[in-house]
Amino acid sequence: MTENQLKLPALADGYCRFYIFRHGKSEGNLMNLLQGQKDYPLTQEGVAAAEKVCDLLAGENFSEIFASDLSRARQTAEIIASAKHLAVKATYLLRDQTYGIFDGMEKTKFKEELRQKLAEHEALTVEEQINDRLAPGAETDAEVLARLLNFLRFTALANSNKKILVISHSNVVRDLLVKFGYCVKKQLPSGSIKNLAYFVLDSNGSDFNVVGTHNIQVSPA
């Protein structure tokens, strides 16, 4: 998982390089739950996989490590941070998207409960979908992106010419890849962003360039 293996371009002067990971496998993943902002710890498999990532990242020097404050992301980050002798900075800005009262529901049941609403959502234009609220208390994609961009812009400006490790969630990875023009949302269906998949993003606080991905399966448009 070194830069040479990914064949990344050289980091331009004044830019920050983010490695943005999905967390390791959680108890919620194991139970096929729509986790949202419910808190579920890593499974033993998730812990072991995060430990393997430490070996793969051995040659990378990070200035800081940030994580969602939910356990599955924070635990993943702490495992890697321990190997890097860094402290994890946990923040709600990197949390998974919440689906309100549906957080924690089994995914099949969720799709059945919201069958009509999900069909209506899919019929919307891309511009309409980003502001569509699936349920009371749920975040829209636009609301998720607002907090993510707030984090990325501030962090990029504060870490010029440095590398930052970020541990977050599949919805976060998806929303950012779509926002930055890597693909469209329908090309990243459920299951396309594996646990501990990641992408590399270069930013100077205003420009954002996706320069590499790992274990992210983009479907044909």
Side-chain angles (χ1 to χ4, degrees):
M1 200 179 293
T2 66
E3 292 202 354
N4 287 336
Q5 289 172 324
L6 279 181
K7 298 181 180 179
L8 299 177
L11 181 62
D13 186 48
Y15 279 70
C16 172
R17 177 157 286 174
F18 294 92
Y19 287 67
I20 302 178
F21 278 74
R22 183 189 178 191
H23 59 78
K25 190 171 185 178
S26 70
E27 294 290 345
N29 292 147
L30 196 62
M31 294 183 284
N32 196 38
L33 302 181
L34 185 75
Q35 296 179 94
Q37 294 185 5
K38 292 285 188 181
D39 217 4
Y40 300 96
L42 293 182
T43 62
Q44 285 303 308
E45 180 184 346
V47 170
E51 289 171 346
K52 280 189 176 182
V53 170
C54 294
D55 296 333
L56 294 170
L57 290 175
E60 300 295 349
N61 294 315
F62 296 103
S63 175
E64 295 190 271
I65 298 179
F66 291 90
S68 157
D69 59 357
L70 297 173
S71 294
R72 54 194 183 273
R74 192 183 66 250
Q75 280 183 271
T76 302
E78 287 170 349
I79 291 167
I80 300 170
S82 178
K84 295 292 185 183
H85 307 291
L86 291 170
V88 174
K89 295 184 176 181
T91 172
Y92 74 94
L93 294 174
L94 294 170
R95 278 188 179 188
D96 202 355
Q97 185 170 17
T98 180
Y99 292 90
I101 61 172
F102 295 99
D103 281 1
M105 182 176 285
E106 200 276 329
K107 287 182 179 179
T108 302
K109 185 177 180 182
F110 167 75
K111 290 176 182 177
E112 291 173 354
E113 293 266 351
L114 264 73
R115 182 179 300 173
Q116 182 176 343
K117 175 59 180 174
L118 290 170
E120 292 170 354
H121 178 82
E122 289 301 316
L124 298 173
T125 66
V126 172
E127 293 75 17
E128 290 170 333
Q129 283 182 354
I130 197 171
N131 291 298
D132 187 39
R133 196 178 308 281
L134 289 176
E139 286 181 295
T140 65
D141 289 350
E143 289 168 340
V144 176
L145 281 167
R147 56 180 168 85
L148 295 175
L149 292 173
N150 182 33
F151 165 80
L152 289 171
R153 287 177 175 136
F154 177 83
T155 307
L157 290 170
N159 291 277
S160 178
N161 302 313
K162 296 178 180 177
K163 296 178 186 176
I164 301 295
L165 183 66
V166 174
I167 309 294
S168 193
H169 306 270
S170 59
N171 282 333
V172 167
V173 172
R174 179 205 66 194
D175 286 352
L176 290 175
L177 287 174
V178 171
K179 172 65 177 177
F180 300 138
Y182 184 76
C183 59
V184 296
K185 187 174 180 180
K186 67 180 181 180
Q187 290 180 280
L188 291 174
S190 179
S192 58
I193 301 169
K194 307 300 182 185
N195 290 108
L196 293 168
Y198 72 98
F199 74 99
V200 183
L201 178 74
D202 288 354
S203 177
N204 61 1
S206 58
D207 294 331
F208 298 89
N209 305 306
V210 176
V211 296
T213 67
H214 176 76
N215 219 12
I216 295 173
Q217 185 174 356
V218 178
S219 300

